[in-house]
Amino acid sequence: MTPVVEQGQFGEWRTVAINVSETYPTFLAQFAGLNEMTVNAQSRAIESIGNVEISLVLDISGSMNDKVYVNGAYKGTRISLLRSAAVQFVDTMFQNVQPAGAPAGRLGISVVPYNQQVVLGTGLAAQFNISTDHTQNTCVDFFSAADFAAPAVTPTQPLQRAMYGDNFDYRQWGFSTQTYWTSSSAIINCPENTMAAILPFSNSKTTITNKINALTAGGDTAIDMGAKWGLALLDPAAQPVVDGLIAAGQVSGNLSERPYEYGDQNTMKVLVLMTDGQNTRTYSTKPEFRSGESGLISTSSATNMSTSYLYYYDPSRSNPYYKFSDGKWYAASKVTGTKYPITYQTLWNTQKYTLQYALNTFLGKPFNNASTLYNQMAEQAEFGGKDTNLEAVCDAAKHRDRNVVIFSLAVDAPSAGQTVLRNCATAPAYFWSVTAAELDTAFAGIASAINSLRLTN
C-alpha cells in the first residue's frame, strides 16, 4: 500500500491515490470450496486550487496605532503587526494559487482599507456613477437598509458621494464642538488620501505588498462599509468595472471577466474581514443641505460671518429678519443696504465650519433648534445600526446563491466587535479572535484554510 502523489506543473492541483488489495480467509464460504477472498479498494483525493478571488478588508481606524506588548516587551503597533501578517498572507496565497511560472490571472486580490468610510480612489471611483455635487472625496454614502440588502454595487446605479467636512455629533457623544474642519482631521466624514484608497483587482504581489506596507491608522470604525465594498468587488456586477480599469491601464488584462459569476465551479470567492474594535460611527450631509441658500443673510458680503452684519431670513414671519447681534426679529424695512445670501457652500467649504458649530452658532440660533436641525440635515449610522447593516450584507453574501466564503478576524476586539464578526463569518471555525501579537498566526491559519477548502474527495 504505497500512496501515489501527482501534481500539476505549477502546483495548481495535487492528487493522492491509494490502492489496497487484501486477501482474507473465509468462514462459511469454505464449505463451498472458497477458502479465501481478495478485496480491492481505492481512495483518491484531489486538491484543485483553481481561481481564487479575495477581498482583504483591513481596519485602519485610530486604535490600530495602539502599542502592543508581550510579557513587557514592545512588539510594535497593531498596524505594523497587521502589515507584516497581511503581507505574509499575500505571499502564501501567491505561492499556493499563483506560483512563479504559472499562467497569470488565477489569483486576484483587492485590498479594502476602512475607518469611518471607504476611500475608492480616483481610478475606481471613475468607474461608478457617483454624484458630482462636489469632487473633494471619493467616498460613497451607504446608510439605508437597502444599501446592505445585497453585495452588488453596479457601475450604473446612482451613488451619493459622501459629503466633505465634519458632521460628527459632538453633542451626543459629549465632545467639545470643534469650529473648523481640516483635510487632515481624523474625524471628517471621509478622510481622503492615497494610502486609504482601495487597491482593486490586483494580481501583482509587489503592488499588493506595497499597498499593505503603506497603510497608516486614524479615524473611527465602520466595519459595515468595509464589508460592503469588499463584497461588491467580489460580485459579478463589478465585471464592467474591471473592464474599465483594464482599459484605463489600472488593472492587468489577465483579470478580464472578473469577478467570475457566482457558482463558477473553478472559482472560490473569499472575504477576509478584520477589525480591532467594533462598529462606531459614519456621518454625512443630506444632499439638500449641501448647496444653495442657507437662510443666512449678510449686509457686508456673501462670505462675511460677522454678527454685526448677519441676519437669518424667515419669509413666513411678519418680521422676517433675525439679527444675530441682538437676538431680535425685524421688519424688512429695518434692514437696509444690500443683502447678500450666504450659501451652504460658504459654510462648509469657504468657512470650513463643522456642521454642529454652524448649527449651534448660526442656523439653529434664531429658533433654538440646533439639535432638531442636526437630525434633519445629517446622515448618520452609529453602533447598533451599523451592526445590523453588517449582518445583512454578510448574510446576503453567504446565501447559497452566492456562497462567498467569509473569514473574520477580531484583534484585541471588545465583545461587541467579536459578536458581529463571529456572526458575519461563514461558520464558527472561520472566525478568529486573537491578540495583535497573534496576527501572523491567524492570517497563516486563514491562508491554510482557504487552501484546504479546495480539497475534494
Side-chain angles (χ1 to χ4, degrees):
M1 181 178 67
T2 302
V4 178
V5 179
E6 297 177 316
Q7 69 176 22
Q9 179 182 359
F10 303 105
E12 70 273 26
W13 58 266
R14 184 181 298 108
T15 68
V16 179
I18 299 177
N19 296 310
V20 179
S21 179
E22 292 289 344
T23 300
Y24 298 92
T26 64
F27 180 61
L28 295 177
Q30 61 183 313
F31 297 107
L34 185 61
N35 296 319
E36 60 182 27
M37 294 182 64
T38 300
V39 178
N40 297 310
Q42 182 184 64
S43 179
R44 188 168 184 258
I46 304 173
E47 185 181 32
S48 178
I49 298 294
N51 301 307
V52 180
E53 299 173 351
I54 299 175
S55 281
L56 194 55
V57 182
L58 305 177
D59 186 341
I60 57 167
S61 62
S63 56
M64 289 295 291
N65 278 322
D66 287 359
K67 295 179 179 179
V68 177
Y69 294 88
V70 177
N71 297 325
Y74 176 65
K75 297 297 182 180
T77 60
R78 284 184 192 148
I79 192 72
S80 68
L81 295 174
L82 170 64
R83 289 192 294 256
S84 176
V87 165
Q88 184 57 52
F89 168 84
V90 169
D91 185 65
T92 301
M93 295 313 304
F94 271 91
Q95 290 177 29
N96 291 323
V97 183
Q98 188 73 62
R106 291 216 312 268
L107 177 64
I109 296 179
S110 297
V111 180
V112 183
Y114 72 92
N115 43 32
Q116 64 260 42
Q117 256 289 1
V118 174
V119 176
L120 272 65
T122 54
L124 182 58
Q127 304 301 321
F128 290 98
N129 182 22
I130 302 177
S131 67
T132 56
D133 50 322
H134 72 86
T135 57
Q136 295 196 35
N137 65 47
T138 58
C139 294
V140 171
D141 281 344
F142 290 133
F143 287 99
S144 73
D147 293 328
F148 296 90
V153 180
T154 68
T156 56
Q157 73 182 81
L159 299 174
Q160 181 62 57
R161 193 182 300 265
M163 184 56 173
Y164 60 87
D166 178 355
N167 285 38
F168 189 82
D169 194 347
Y170 292 92
R171 182 193 300 267
Q172 177 182 356
W173 302 111
F175 287 66
S176 176
T177 301
Q178 299 298 303
T179 303
Y180 306 106
W181 64 269
T182 66
S183 59
S184 61
S185 170
I187 209 168
I188 60 175
N189 302 330
C190 171
E192 178 85 17
N193 60 66
T194 302
M195 173 281 302
I198 290 175
L199 172 65
F201 312 108
S202 180
N203 67 341
S204 166
K205 185 169 72 170
T206 299
T207 300
I208 299 167
T209 297
N210 289 343
K211 177 66 182 181
I212 293 170
N213 281 330
L215 295 177
T216 59
D220 254 332
T221 308
I223 312 170
D224 57 335
M225 293 288 202
K228 171 66 177 180
W229 276 112
L231 292 168
L233 298 182
L234 295 172
D235 193 282
Q239 288 174 358
V241 174
V242 177
D243 292 341
L245 292 170
I246 291 172
Q250 297 167 5
V251 166
S252 168
N254 294 319
L255 294 178
S256 64
E257 302 181 8
R258 272 67 161 187
Y260 285 121
E261 296 296 325
Y262 291 122
D264 185 304
Q265 295 300 306
N266 196 39
T267 302
M268 181 179 180
K269 296 177 182 286
V270 178
L271 178 77
V272 179
L273 179 62
M274 170 267 158
T275 187
D276 77 328
Q278 65 186 73
N279 273 313
T280 56
R281 297 159 285 234
T282 301
Y283 300 106
S284 190
T285 305
K286 293 176 181 176
E288 59 266 36
F289 303 108
R290 299 184 178 197
S291 62
E293 296 183 8
S294 68
L296 297 172
I297 301 290
S298 174
T299 56
S300 173
S301 74
T303 59
N304 191 335
M305 300 298 296
S306 170
T307 56
S308 299
Y309 309 102
L310 195 63
Y311 295 83
Y312 185 87
Y313 176 61
D314 179 3
S316 67
R317 299 176 64 96
S318 56
N319 294 327
Y321 285 93
Y322 175 88
K323 190 174 183 179
F324 282 87
S325 61
D326 63 12
K328 296 179 180 179
W329 291 90
Y330 289 90
S333 60
K334 299 294 184 180
V335 183
T336 59
T338 303
K339 301 178 183 66
Y340 300 92
I342 293 176
T343 64
Y344 285 117
Q345 294 100 313
T346 296
L347 297 178
W348 315 140
N349 193 16
T350 305
Q351 299 294 340
K352 296 187 181 296
Y353 292 141
T354 67
L355 174 60
Q356 214 147 61
Y357 176 81
L359 294 174
N360 295 344
T361 310
F362 302 114
L363 298 176
K365 196 84 167 181
F367 305 99
N368 193 28
N369 64 344
S371 296
T372 301
L373 277 178
Y374 179 86
N375 292 328
Q376 292 175 0
M377 296 174 67
E379 294 275 22
Q380 36 193 323
E382 300 165 335
F383 294 92
K386 299 181 79 61
D387 289 348
T388 299
N389 293 341
L390 177 61
E391 183 173 355
V393 76
C394 290
D395 286 347
K398 292 182 294 187
H399 190 273
R400 62 180 179 272
D401 293 339
R402 300 183 179 94
N403 203 29
V404 176
V405 180
I406 302 178
F407 294 91
S408 61
L409 179 56
V411 183
D412 295 328
S415 58
Q418 293 183 43
T419 297
V420 294
L421 261 67
R422 183 183 296 107
N423 293 342
C424 180
T426 294
Y430 296 2
F431 165 70
W432 297 70
S433 180
V434 298
T435 66
E438 298 168 324
L439 266 167
D440 53 351
T441 301
F443 270 102
I446 292 172
S448 177
I450 290 172
N451 291 328
S452 295
L453 285 171
R454 305 303 297 166
L455 186 66
T456 60
N457 293 299

